[in-house]
Amino acid sequence: MDRLDNTVRPYAWGSTTAIARLLGVEPTGEPQAEMWMGAHPGAPSRTGRGTLAEVIDADPERELGAASVAKFGPRLPFLLKLLAAGAPLSLQVHPDLDQAKTGYADEERRGIPADAPHRTYKDANHKPELICALTDFDGLCGFRAPLRAAELLDALGVDSLKPYVDLLHAHPEQAALREVLTAVLTADRDAMARTVTEAAAACDRLGGDHAPYAAIAHHYPGDPGVIAAMLLNHVRLQPGEALYLGAGVPHAYLNGLGVEIMANSDNVLRCGLTPKHVDVPELLRIVRFEAGDPGVLRPEAAPDGEELYDTPIDEFRLSRYVLPAGGATHDLTRATPQVLLCTAGSVRAGEHELSPGTSVFVPAGEKVEVSGTGTLFRATVVV
């Protein structure tokens, strides 16, 4: 079992205080957006035996188990993170596995450099993800019912939004959502910037359900993504609640601290709220224009104390243990690789004492018992 030394990524949207507060250290004054736990080549965790990527590469079956290697290959198929949003992230979607393979092969065939700003597919993998709130956590997830989106836009009293309101009353609903998103993202940039400015002022004046979009516009003035965001469900997670984000579901995180887990991929198609490239035709091919409830997840408790966040994919499995004072010791030994992360209290995992924000990697089959008083997240795979 290896204690992990993890990299904090200083993306501009990161909170300046949330991760430092969890770790119990003084803030640096700089944004701290994500802390990565895993073997992703962009920032693999460090151990006493080298980086976790090097440790796994040296003996994949020993570290990951034969079943995991057979199913996912000789790599850790998930990346666990602490995510601390102090400002909205880009509005985005992720491809499914077939779309990722096709898109990656196409861009490779066309010779688009891997680091080109207009490159969309960095790998041939999909990127389902799960975010579990540690604090109140605001986000956008999936399309609102078109009539509800029409009401939200119409209440702003902005003349240039009237055509979108009319489109959202059309049928079928999927076609209406597609037409409006297409129109927003392909509109004249200067005209759209004026529309966004007017809409933001109205959101600020109206408050209530419109308030989140005023805050978004404050960070991204004039960005068409502000209008696109109003087509989506606004969600506020309470601590312990989660969202699963499958392929094609438009989403953005707005504010808060959470534990995020995802399949190992960098494939992101952006819809707005970003200065980065937006590939509108490819985006429209990937987005699922389906309105519905965002589906807030609450953990399902098992008799042994494990609380599971159930998701429909196998690359990751996230659960937590809330350990009371004087509680039992739990045997977490498993025939698959695990990352254990403490987020509250003091938890002993094998020979390691874990405080908030600290984590360990447990090789497949290695005996591990946990005890103490606090909260422990467990990340592994399904084989």
Side-chain angles (χ1 to χ4, degrees):
M1 192 187 316
D2 296 282
R3 191 180 189 92
L4 299 179
D5 179 14
N6 304 305
T7 297
V8 175
R9 310 304 293 261
Y11 306 136
W13 50 261
S15 167
T16 58
T17 59
I19 288 179
R21 187 181 298 121
L22 183 74
L23 295 172
V25 299
E26 284 295 316
T28 64
E30 299 298 319
Q32 295 181 312
E34 298 179 345
M35 187 172 79
W36 289 19
M37 291 158 279
H40 191 286
S45 299
R46 298 168 294 278
T47 78
R49 299 184 285 159
T51 70
L52 187 55
E54 292 168 343
V55 169
I56 291 171
D57 287 346
D59 194 345
E61 289 209 1
R62 164 70 185 88
E63 303 297 332
L64 304 176
S68 182
V69 171
K71 188 166 185 176
F72 304 111
R75 60 186 181 85
L76 189 67
F78 65 82
L79 176 63
L80 185 67
K81 300 179 180 179
L82 282 173
L83 183 146
L89 282 68
S90 61
L91 189 61
Q92 58 188 253
V93 297
H94 307 301
D96 64 25
L97 191 55
D98 287 341
Q99 291 165 340
K101 289 178 178 178
T102 300
Y104 179 75
D106 176 63
E107 291 190 333
E108 287 287 282
R109 178 184 57 79
R110 290 189 284 141
I112 300 176
D115 58 353
H118 62 288
R119 175 91 187 210
T120 297
Y121 294 95
K122 305 299 177 66
D123 53 70
N125 199 16
H126 62 164
K127 193 185 178 186
E129 59 191 46
L130 177 78
I131 183 76
C132 177
L134 295 179
T135 65
D136 288 350
F137 194 98
D138 282 286
L140 305 171
C141 180
F143 287 105
R144 297 175 184 270
L147 292 181
R148 178 69 187 102
E151 290 173 2
L152 201 71
L153 291 174
D154 197 32
L156 299 176
V158 177
D159 288 343
S160 53
L161 291 177
K162 296 295 185 183
Y164 304 148
V165 173
D166 292 341
L167 283 171
L168 288 167
H169 281 94
H171 292 282
E173 289 188 347
Q174 291 186 7
L177 290 168
R178 176 182 287 275
E179 286 192 44
V180 173
L181 184 63
T182 303
V184 168
L185 296 181
T186 58
D188 176 82
R189 295 290 295 193
D190 291 338
M192 178 53 69
R194 290 192 292 272
T195 295
V196 172
T197 299
E198 290 183 54
C203 286
D204 194 40
R205 182 178 68 253
L206 292 169
D209 289 345
H210 291 86
Y213 307 99
I216 292 170
H218 171 75
H219 291 283
Y220 297 99
D223 192 304
V226 175
I227 306 301
M230 296 183 73
L231 302 175
L232 307 186
N233 296 296
H234 175 250
V235 185
R236 168 160 283 191
L237 300 178
Q238 301 302 309
E241 295 180 334
L243 286 174
Y244 171 72
L245 299 155
V249 177
H251 62 277
Y253 302 145
L254 304 179
N255 186 269
L257 176 67
V259 174
E260 184 183 38
I261 189 167
M262 61 182 59
N264 254 335
S265 172
D266 289 326
N267 287 328
V268 175
L269 290 100
R270 295 174 178 85
C271 315
L273 310 183
T274 178
K276 295 182 179 179
H277 177 63
V278 176
D279 184 341
V280 175
E282 185 65 9
L283 172 72
L284 296 175
R285 189 177 78 87
I286 299 301
V287 171
R288 293 183 179 176
F289 291 95
E290 300 171 359
D293 186 278
V296 174
L297 290 177
R298 296 171 181 84
E300 300 174 7
D304 65 355
E306 184 180 35
E307 299 178 345
L308 175 65
Y309 294 92
D310 192 26
T311 59
I313 50 92
D314 294 342
E315 282 90 340
F316 61 75
R317 177 185 187 276
L318 185 70
S319 60
R320 71 173 185 176
Y321 290 81
V322 180
L323 306 172
T329 295
H330 297 268
D331 187 347
L332 271 57
T333 307
R334 191 177 173 92
T336 52
Q338 303 180 74
V339 174
L340 306 180
L341 165 68
C342 176
T343 59
S346 178
V347 177
R348 185 171 185 84
E351 62 184 24
H352 298 277
E353 291 286 347
L354 303 182
S355 57
T358 58
S359 55
V360 292
F361 173 74
V362 185
E366 182 160 326
K367 177 77 171 176
V368 56
E369 293 183 337
V370 300
S371 59
T373 305
T375 301
L376 185 77
F377 281 83
R378 177 197 213 184
T380 185
V381 300
V382 179
V383 296

